[in-house]
């Protein structure tokens, strides 16, 4: 964040609960009117900047309206890789010079698209992110980082499950890019095509994965990514082929459903299954129940 040597004011403008539709349809107009009022009143006495941020309700509405968009995350791992750090991220995907260069390239190009949204988070690397924004002369649209993640806060209401219900019921072609241990998502979201990536060091097979994805990048395709830092690069590759597609960088969003918890804010698998029950494959839930019965049987001495 920029340092302040004098002072600044920040205002937050949100829709009333009953006027979300109006706000969404008129947000640009509202912003422009406010800026014009300030400029007309204060002329050259003040500097004005604005920044919008969007959440799950906004993206659900866009999906209902069949509007394409790109949701992408450049988190601490991506930024460290872009800086040339050594080592690997928390999911055992190594930082490499080639990946770092492709991430920097994708950052500058992908976030320049009008319908691209950058997941926003509070972290000690936020200054690094802002440095890359400034050096690329970008003014990205920000989105709630946890928008599509299965975390405790999101399973307290129906917003997330409602979005995934829409995604499952959509007749648009859906392509999932992720590791095999998440492939039960095929039935959960009615996925049309699965593209496997390594569970660790996904970027090691980047050329093969990119080549597979470049086939038939048709209008209104939906791409769902769970392949760590490489997701940003693949989103940029596809967006440059066809801008009329939807790209969702879900990251660890499905881990606690089909695998193990990989983040502290994620709920237990049992709670995930309870929340997603109406769209989950029955064999996934049944497997969980069978495990529970087995444990009860052992504890009762029946087996």
């Amino acid at each position: 964040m920029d340092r302040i040597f004098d002072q600044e004011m920040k205002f937050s403008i949100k829709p009333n609960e009953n006027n979300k539709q109006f706000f969404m349809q008129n947000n640009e107009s509202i912003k422009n009117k406010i800026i014009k009022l300030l400029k007309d009143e204060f002329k050259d006495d003040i500097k004005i900047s604005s920044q919008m941020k969007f959440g799950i309700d906004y993206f659900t509405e866009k999906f209902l309206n069949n509007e394409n968009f790109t949701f992408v995350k450049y988190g601490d791992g991506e930024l460290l890789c872009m800086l040339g750090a050594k080592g690997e991220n928390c999911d055992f995907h190594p930082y490499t010079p080639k990946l770092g260069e492709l991430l920097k390239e994708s950052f500058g190009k992908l976030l320049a698209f009008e319908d691209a949204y950058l997941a926003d988070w509070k972290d000690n690397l936020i200054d690094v992110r802002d440095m890359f924004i400034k050096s690329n002369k970008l003014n990205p649209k920000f989105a709630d980082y946890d928008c599509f993640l299965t975390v405790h806060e999101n399973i307290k209401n129906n917003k997330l499950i409602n979005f995934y219900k829409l995604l499952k019921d959509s007749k648009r072609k859906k392509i999932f890019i992720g590791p095999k241990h998440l492939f039960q998502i095929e039935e959960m979201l009615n996925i049309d095509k699965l593209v496997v990536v390594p569970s660790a060091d996904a970027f090691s097979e980047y050329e093969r994965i990119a080549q597979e994805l470049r086939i038939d990048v048709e209008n209104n395709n939906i791409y769902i990514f769970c392949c760590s830092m490489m997701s940003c690069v693949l989103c940029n590759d596809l967006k440059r082929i066809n801008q009329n597609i939807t790209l969702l960088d879900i990251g660890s969003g499905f881990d606690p459903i089909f695998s193990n918890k990989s983040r502290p804010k994620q709920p237990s698998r049992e709670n995930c299954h309870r929340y997603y029950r109406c769209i989950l494959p029955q064999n996934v839930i049944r497997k969980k129940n069978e495990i529970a019965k087995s444990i009860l049987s052992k504890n009762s001495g029946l087996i």
Side-chain angles (χ1 to χ4, degrees), residues 19-276:
N19 292 307
K20 288 184 177 181
Q21 289 276 357
F22 170 82
F23 194 90
M24 177 180 172
Q25 294 166 6
N26 296 278
N27 58 60
E28 283 289 343
S29 174
I30 293 169
K31 180 190 75 172
N32 292 334
K33 285 181 179 179
I34 292 171
I35 291 174
K36 184 178 186 302
L37 284 170
L38 290 171
K39 285 184 175 179
D40 288 347
E41 178 69 23
F42 300 105
K43 296 182 171 58
D44 298 326
D45 293 329
I46 61 174
K47 293 181 179 180
I48 303 169
S49 63
S50 65
Q51 181 65 67
M52 291 191 183
K53 188 171 180 178
F54 303 85
I56 185 70
D57 287 346
Y58 175 83
F59 293 114
T60 299
E61 192 66 27
K62 286 187 77 68
F63 201 87
L64 281 168
N65 293 333
N66 290 315
E67 297 178 38
N68 287 299
F69 62 91
T70 294
F71 175 89
V72 67
K73 297 187 291 184
Y74 287 83
D76 53 357
E78 286 83 358
L79 292 169
L80 286 170
C81 190
M82 290 160 70
L83 287 172
K86 307 295 182 184
E88 59 190 16
N89 70 1
C90 61
D91 296 315
F92 312 109
H93 298 273
Y95 305 135
T96 68
K98 182 179 179 181
L99 176 57
E101 288 304 312
L102 288 174
L103 282 169
K104 285 191 282 188
E105 178 185 338
S106 69
F107 190 95
K109 293 182 177 179
L110 191 58
L111 296 178
F113 285 104
E114 183 65 24
D115 65 345
Y117 298 82
L118 173 61
D120 188 27
W121 85 108
K122 305 303 179 187
D123 188 87
N124 58 0
L125 286 172
I126 195 169
D127 287 344
V128 175
R129 181 200 67 187
D130 290 347
M131 175 193 73
F132 280 111
I133 289 174
K134 186 175 291 187
S135 64
N136 284 283
K137 299 179 180 179
L138 298 169
N139 184 29
K141 295 178 178 177
F142 285 103
D144 175 35
Y145 191 90
D146 290 343
C147 250
F148 306 112
L149 294 180
T150 303
V151 293
H152 288 295
E153 192 66 26
N154 283 348
I155 66 170
K156 292 179 180 179
N157 56 53
N158 292 327
K159 294 180 184 293
L160 186 64
I161 183 64
N162 287 343
F163 179 84
Y164 283 125
K165 280 181 184 176
L166 287 173
L167 189 56
K168 177 170 186 166
D169 293 340
S170 174
K171 302 304 180 185
R172 295 164 62 180
K173 185 177 181 180
K174 287 163 279 187
I175 301 95
F176 176 77
I177 307 96
K180 280 185 178 179
H181 65 261
L182 298 180
F183 272 16
Q184 285 173 306
I185 197 172
E186 181 176 15
E187 188 177 344
M188 176 182 172
L189 296 180
N190 288 335
I191 299 296
D192 298 285
K193 180 179 180 180
L194 298 166
V195 178
V196 64
V197 305
S199 297
D201 195 7
F203 187 67
S204 64
E205 296 188 24
Y206 164 67
E207 297 298 340
R208 186 266 304 169
I209 296 163
Q211 184 175 0
E212 190 171 346
L213 286 175
R214 290 185 188 116
I215 302 170
D216 299 327
V217 185
E218 302 169 352
N219 285 345
N220 299 315
N221 278 1
I222 300 170
Y223 296 86
I224 303 165
F225 298 89
C226 293
C227 46
S228 193
M229 298 176 285
M230 182 174 60
S231 297
C232 301
V233 178
L234 294 172
C235 284
N236 184 52
D237 290 345
L238 292 170
K239 192 77 168 177
R240 291 167 70 182
I241 296 172
N242 189 340
Q243 297 181 27
N244 194 30
I245 56 177
T246 289
L247 302 161
L248 299 174
D249 179 4
I250 303 299
S252 61
F254 302 118
D255 285 358
I257 306 171
F258 300 115
S259 184
N260 298 314
K261 289 175 60 173
S262 57
R263 302 292 188 276
K265 295 194 297 182
Q266 292 172 342
S268 68
R269 192 180 303 188
E270 182 179 7
N271 286 338
C272 291
H273 289 183
R274 186 179 298 115
Y275 182 74
Y276 289 111

